[in-house]
Amino acid sequence: MEILWFLIAVGMLAAVVVPYVRRRNGGGIRLTHPGAPDAADPADYGFVRQEELDIRVPGPDRDLMDVLELVQRSQDWRAASQLLAGTPKEGEVRWQRVQAFAGAASLELAQRPGVGAAWLRAWRLESPKDAGGAQVHAEFLVQQAWRASGGVGSEDHRIILEEARTACDEAALLAPGDPVPHITQLAVARGLAYPEGEFDALWAKVIDRAPEHMGAHLAALHYWCEKWHGSREKADAFTHAAAARAPHGSLLAALPLFGVFEHLPDIALVQDFYGSAVVSRAMEGALYAVHSARPDDPMLAHVRHLLILFLVRGERWAEAMEQIRHVDGYVGALPWSHSEDPAAEYAVYRALAVAGYEANGGSPATLPH
């Protein structure tokens, strides 16, 4: 059975981890019932249980988690303000933390309409000149537009994005030189269908401040995709140009793989699609980027998560297990974030990787730690 068809079938059957086992008469994998003696069990590798996977972030950020828990427990925004004030504006971490605070506020509001996210409202009212608060508020509005406005094209969606555009401009004035407000506005530009010239002008503001910002490139890529305002050719040109100018150690070399992901067919009609030249080159570029990047690069987990999907679909089990070993426990990244249940989606791929690894002679003892 083609692995893609297999994954589609699993996704349709259940949003839970399905055990797989070693096939006794060959190197393939097949379904088995839970608890069977030969069942491949991710727990044997020390992997985190599905219900304990953190869907908020792509990888560990203890300072962020501690502050976020404090803010949500006390409803006092000051710890968040202090954390962002001490986070350098030039790197990727500030952008990720702004997204995390905004996402937490958005989820709170969804869970408790009219009451949730009181700390963010207080932050903006009590400290309107706080650059961090302004950035979180702008990103919060963007997330609200995409998640809770009635859908793309609705009047509410447009109104919230217009408000977000104003919030981005205000945030930019409070922090000259900080790329974050302009990166946030890239999503506004996509939703409001900025003309290419206007988008290019916005993009110039981003790269003038942070030319190698991986998160910014991922945000801009959406605009150039076929499903939005570009085409496969434009998205391909954007990703390959960025990868070509990336210095050694930059994760921008992995950007073409994100371009391939954004244009994946619903069903692969080409046999061995995930072994094709285009996909293979993009995967090798991403693997090269992962191997040459700094171990503490905050965007490294994003690339590893996407590689898991491609490596599993390409039946490159050992390489998939290597990526899982580094990121397990956190699933707040593509491709899982596209799912209604990111933890379940990730867990299915993890189970497949474990099964394929064991079907080809692997075991917990052979996986590096």
Side-chain angles (χ1 to χ4, degrees):
M1 173 185 282
E2 289 292 327
I3 189 67
L4 181 56
W5 284 104
F6 190 62
L7 286 171
I8 291 172
V10 170
M12 293 173 63
L13 287 171
V16 296
V17 179
V18 182
Y20 294 86
V21 296
R22 190 175 307 171
R23 187 191 295 272
R24 294 187 181 277
N25 60 352
I29 56 178
R30 62 180 174 83
L31 278 168
T32 191
H33 62 85
D38 285 337
D41 188 354
D44 292 341
Y45 295 81
F47 294 150
V48 175
R49 294 170 61 88
Q50 178 181 325
E51 59 269 26
E52 296 174 356
L53 292 167
D54 195 326
I55 66 172
R56 299 171 296 179
V57 289
D61 185 341
R62 192 65 262 165
D63 289 341
L64 171 64
M65 292 296 100
D66 289 345
V67 168
L68 186 54
E69 289 167 10
L70 174 61
V71 168
Q72 293 188 303
R73 184 176 65 252
S74 67
Q75 291 296 299
D76 188 336
W77 53 269
R78 289 175 179 81
S81 176
Q82 291 171 2
L83 181 64
L84 288 181
T87 305
K89 64 184 180 183
E90 297 82 9
E92 308 272 356
V93 175
R94 184 178 181 85
W95 167 234
Q96 291 190 20
R97 287 176 172 175
V98 165
Q99 286 187 303
F101 283 126
S106 181
L107 181 59
E108 271 190 45
L109 189 59
Q111 293 173 338
R112 296 182 295 151
V115 178
W119 56 269
L120 179 55
R121 292 193 295 274
W123 192 353
R124 295 299 294 132
L125 287 171
E126 296 169 18
S127 187
K129 300 299 182 183
D130 186 301
Q135 292 176 6
V136 173
H137 179 238
E139 173 64 24
F140 166 78
L141 289 171
V142 168
Q143 294 196 26
Q144 285 297 100
W146 293 106
R147 293 177 179 175
S149 66
V152 177
S154 70
E155 184 65 11
D156 285 348
H157 181 76
R158 186 191 63 77
I159 290 172
I160 297 174
L161 283 179
E162 291 286 3
E163 185 179 353
R165 171 156 56 181
T166 300
C168 288
D169 290 340
E170 293 173 353
L173 291 174
L174 291 173
D178 192 329
V180 169
H182 304 293
I183 298 172
T184 299
Q185 195 172 351
L186 292 172
V188 176
R190 173 165 52 102
L192 293 180
Y194 282 20
E196 286 190 12
E198 189 174 352
F199 184 86
D200 286 339
L202 173 61
W203 180 239
K205 293 179 182 179
V206 175
I207 60 174
D208 282 349
R209 292 162 175 78
E212 297 171 24
H213 199 292
M214 181 70 172
H217 281 78
L218 292 177
L221 170 60
H222 292 303
Y223 178 90
W224 294 114
C225 288
E226 186 176 59
K227 60 189 173 186
W228 287 104
H229 310 297
S231 64
R232 291 176 185 236
E233 292 73 23
K234 288 181 178 180
D236 185 69
F238 176 78
T239 60
H240 283 82
R245 65 172 181 270
H248 179 75
S250 170
L251 287 170
L252 287 177
L255 200 61
L257 187 65
F258 286 86
V260 171
F261 172 73
E262 292 295 338
H263 294 91
L264 282 178
D266 292 332
I267 297 175
L269 299 177
V270 178
Q271 187 174 13
D272 193 24
F273 173 80
Y274 290 91
S276 64
V278 170
V279 177
S280 294
R281 282 196 299 268
M283 290 172 66
E284 295 308 320
L287 288 167
Y288 167 79
V290 163
H291 293 150
S292 61
R294 300 188 330 270
D296 63 346
D297 191 312
M299 292 300 293
L300 185 54
H302 287 270
V303 181
R304 291 190 187 278
H305 278 292
L306 190 63
L307 272 169
I308 292 169
L309 177 141
F310 280 92
L311 290 169
V312 167
R313 290 188 177 184
E315 301 183 38
R316 295 167 63 168
W317 313 115
E319 291 170 288
M321 289 291 283
E322 173 66 12
Q323 305 309 317
I324 291 170
R325 180 176 71 85
H326 285 282
V327 301
D328 191 68
Y330 304 88
V331 294
L334 289 174
W336 328 121
S337 57
H338 276 189
S339 171
E340 292 185 3
D341 190 341
E345 184 82 1
Y346 167 81
V348 168
Y349 277 82
R350 184 177 64 183
L352 280 167
V354 169
Y357 184 63
E358 294 190 358
N360 287 276
S363 71
T366 61
L367 185 68
H369 295 285

